Amino acid sequence: MQIVFSTEGLDARHSFKRWREALEVQKANVDLRHLDDAPFEAKVENSAIGPLLVTRMSQSALRTEVRKFGAWRQGREGMATAAFKLAGTSNSFQDGRDAVLSTGDLYILDKRPMVLTTSAGAQVLFVELPRERLESVLGSTRHYTALRIGAELGSTSLARTFFEELVRLGDRLAPEAADRMASVGVDLIVASIAERLAKDVPQPLHGTVVVQRAKTFVEANLGDPTLGPSQLAAAVGVSLRRLQELFSEHGQHISDWIWQRRLEAAAKRLIDPGVRHLPIGTLAYGCGFASQAHFARRFKAQYGKTPSEYRTESLLKAS
């Protein structure tokens, strides 16, 4: 990771001022309060892994209130943030929720007003990830920002360990491999949030969470050609009729959504340089299509091109 800010070597009398100035460059409306009398220390390191920006931050005891986000780097406006607590404790407040967080916990933040309070020696690994990817499976981020996703969950521990290793080894990955690993990491974070939401969701949100769990299950089992509405209902523990009702409340049909996700996954693989050597039929089977002919018909109806034409055009554009 590359160091983008550090108070190391600065006169301790001016370190907090320098930190404030570094944030002011982002043109955000932020109120900062140093919470103890010890010299202020902070360090920020960045690493780009595929489309994801990963930031490791350590700092002294501090209260940070963000009233309004400023100008963001071009292309990052559609990103939310997953935060893994690596050391220390903190308190996160956003969208009416207040989470007390300890080492190993995960929480989600979005670009809306928030308050973060950290203990001395706190260290966090921030991962910017596409908001659209989160919301396509889990619904609006307002349902789970500042929600403690505990270290005791196996999925949280796995996601944290994955990103710590990804940061350590990221500079060894070819660009195509980095993109694939970033996608795997996002899926792990989505699975962690889904598991947490399923534990103790308020009743008004229960239907939403069932749909979120169903969509997470579909993402993990797209390659299973037998996956359909009945199997999905059994997997999430509700009747088929109830699951159909819940999907209808979201303006969707179960079968249509499954096929849509299969087509989107196949389209992504068709333009992935890392798997360009694989036959189209192999990619189709891997996305749950029972035959190449069936895949070709559905794909052309969706994208207006045959899979072969779609792949060829993408390769020509990339060359």
Side-chain angles (χ1 to χ4, degrees):
M1 302 188 82
Q2 294 184 337
I3 298 176
V4 296
F5 178 87
S6 177
T7 57
E8 186 176 352
L10 294 178
D11 186 325
R13 295 172 297 177
H14 306 305
S15 59
F16 183 59
K17 179 181 178 182
R18 292 294 178 83
W19 178 242
R20 187 190 300 274
E21 291 171 348
L23 292 181
E24 287 176 351
V25 170
Q26 301 295 327
K27 298 181 180 179
N29 187 344
V30 179
D31 178 65
L32 300 174
R33 299 181 191 176
H34 188 190
L35 298 179
D36 60 29
D37 296 328
F40 181 78
E41 297 179 346
K43 185 178 181 180
V44 181
E45 303 165 273
N46 278 349
S47 179
I49 301 175
L52 306 182
L53 179 66
V54 182
T55 301
R56 185 165 54 212
M57 180 186 297
S58 57
Q59 62 184 25
S60 299
L62 185 71
R63 181 184 186 276
T64 304
E65 180 178 356
V66 183
R67 300 189 184 95
K68 182 180 180 182
F69 282 85
W72 287 87
R73 293 174 300 280
Q74 186 175 2
R76 312 304 294 186
E77 298 86 353
M79 310 297 272
T81 301
F84 294 98
K85 287 293 296 181
L86 301 182
T89 60
S90 67
N91 181 278
S92 170
F93 180 82
Q94 189 173 49
D95 294 329
R97 276 180 297 277
D98 197 344
V100 178
L101 305 148
S102 302
T103 300
D105 291 345
L106 165 67
Y107 56 105
I108 304 298
L109 298 170
D110 210 340
K111 293 180 174 62
R112 294 187 289 275
M114 68 176 74
V115 179
L116 297 174
T117 304
T118 59
S119 65
Q123 187 178 82
V124 183
L125 191 69
F126 294 105
V127 182
E128 277 193 358
L129 65 167
R131 183 184 301 105
E132 181 181 6
R133 177 70 185 89
L134 287 178
E135 295 189 334
S136 68
V137 178
L138 300 167
S140 171
T141 59
R142 294 181 184 275
H143 295 325
Y144 42 88
T145 45
L147 178 71
R148 176 182 173 271
I149 305 165
E152 69 276 5
L153 297 179
S155 56
T156 302
S157 181
L158 179 61
R160 185 188 71 254
T161 301
F162 180 88
F163 272 101
E164 288 182 303
E165 285 298 294
L166 191 57
V167 166
R168 188 174 69 85
L169 301 173
D171 58 355
R172 302 186 197 177
L173 298 175
E176 295 85 358
D179 286 345
R180 288 195 291 275
M181 291 301 99
S183 180
V184 170
V186 172
D187 286 344
L188 288 173
I189 290 172
V190 169
S192 299
I193 301 169
E195 183 178 0
R196 173 62 181 86
L197 288 173
K199 288 179 69 66
D200 54 355
V201 65
Q203 189 60 35
L205 293 179
H206 182 263
T208 297
V209 172
V210 169
V211 172
Q212 292 165 357
R213 289 174 58 201
K215 290 183 175 181
T216 300
F217 185 85
V218 169
E219 295 298 321
N221 293 275
L222 278 178
D224 180 359
T226 68
L227 178 62
S230 297
Q231 295 88 337
L232 184 57
V236 297
V238 298
S239 69
L240 175 57
R241 179 177 179 180
R242 179 57 179 154
L243 189 61
Q244 289 172 330
E245 291 173 348
L246 293 174
F247 266 77
S248 295
E249 290 173 5
H250 288 74
Q252 300 167 330
H253 297 287
I254 302 172
S255 294
D256 290 345
W257 195 86
I258 293 174
W259 287 118
Q260 178 68 24
R261 288 300 303 134
R262 283 175 168 155
L263 286 168
E264 290 171 352
K268 185 175 181 180
R269 294 179 190 180
L270 283 171
I271 63 175
D272 183 350
V275 293
R276 68 178 60 174
H277 62 286
L278 293 179
I280 288 176
T282 300
L283 294 181
Y285 300 142
C287 293
F289 292 90
S291 72
Q292 187 169 342
H294 178 219
F295 169 57
R297 287 196 302 272
R298 281 190 173 270
F299 192 91
K300 188 169 184 179
Q302 175 71 23
Y303 293 100
K305 303 180 181 69
T306 67
S308 179
E309 291 169 343
Y310 189 87
R311 171 182 264 184
T312 300
E313 285 186 13
S314 70
L315 293 176
L316 290 174
K317 290 178 182 178
S319 61

